[in-house]
Amino acid sequence: EVHVVESGGGSVDVGGSLRLSCQISGFTFEDSDMSWYREDPGDECELVSNITPAGGIYYDSFVKGRFTISEDNAKNTLYLQMNSLKPEDTGRYYCAPTRYWYGCKTQGTQVTVAS
């Protein structure tokens, strides 16, 4: 069964950093692109970043240069390193193996950036 569990969220001040984790099971990173999404306070689900099995990476223009997506195959864990956080980064973050589903469909992890 394909399963993901997000963690690592929290409350930080503007300019702070967080590292989100997504523990996967039931598949490997070779099987699927992996994406991070953010659901903002208005409940809009937006793509933040994506990584392909070949290592191709996409970032939304708002986070490019501040966020870094990576995978640890030995730990079956996807990461999102978030630096220079802004209040606009506030939201619930979700990971998705896009071979199986898209969007904000799991439990997610909350990130709050206080101004």
Side-chain angles (χ1 to χ4, degrees):
E1 181 180 359
V2 174
H3 196 54
V4 303
V5 178
E6 302 94 341
S7 62
S11 295
V12 296
D13 292 333
V14 170
S17 297
L18 285 172
R19 189 177 75 161
L20 306 185
S21 299
C22 170
Q23 180 74 48
I24 69 168
S25 59
F27 69 102
T28 71
F29 291 130
E30 292 181 349
D31 296 331
S32 177
D33 288 17
M34 293 295 301
S35 294
W36 283 102
Y37 291 86
R38 178 180 64 244
E39 186 174 61
D40 66 22
D43 294 332
E44 183 173 352
C45 185
E46 301 174 324
L47 177 65
V48 175
S49 183
N50 182 82
I51 185 168
T52 72
I57 291 176
Y58 162 84
Y59 295 105
D60 178 81
S61 59
F62 188 73
V63 308
K64 197 169 186 177
R66 300 188 296 122
F67 290 10
T68 303
I69 191 170
S70 63
E71 296 172 336
D72 186 327
N73 288 292
K75 295 182 178 180
N76 287 328
T77 302
L78 174 75
Y79 298 103
L80 186 68
Q81 178 66 44
M82 310 166 70
N83 298 329
S84 302
L85 283 163
K86 305 177 180 181
E88 296 85 353
D89 295 319
T90 292
R92 195 161 191 89
Y93 285 72
Y94 302 80
C95 65
T98 57
R99 175 175 178 173
Y100 304 100
W101 69 80
Y102 290 83
C104 303
K105 297 183 178 179
T106 47
Q107 181 175 354
T109 186
Q110 178 68 34
V111 171
T112 303
V113 184
S115 58

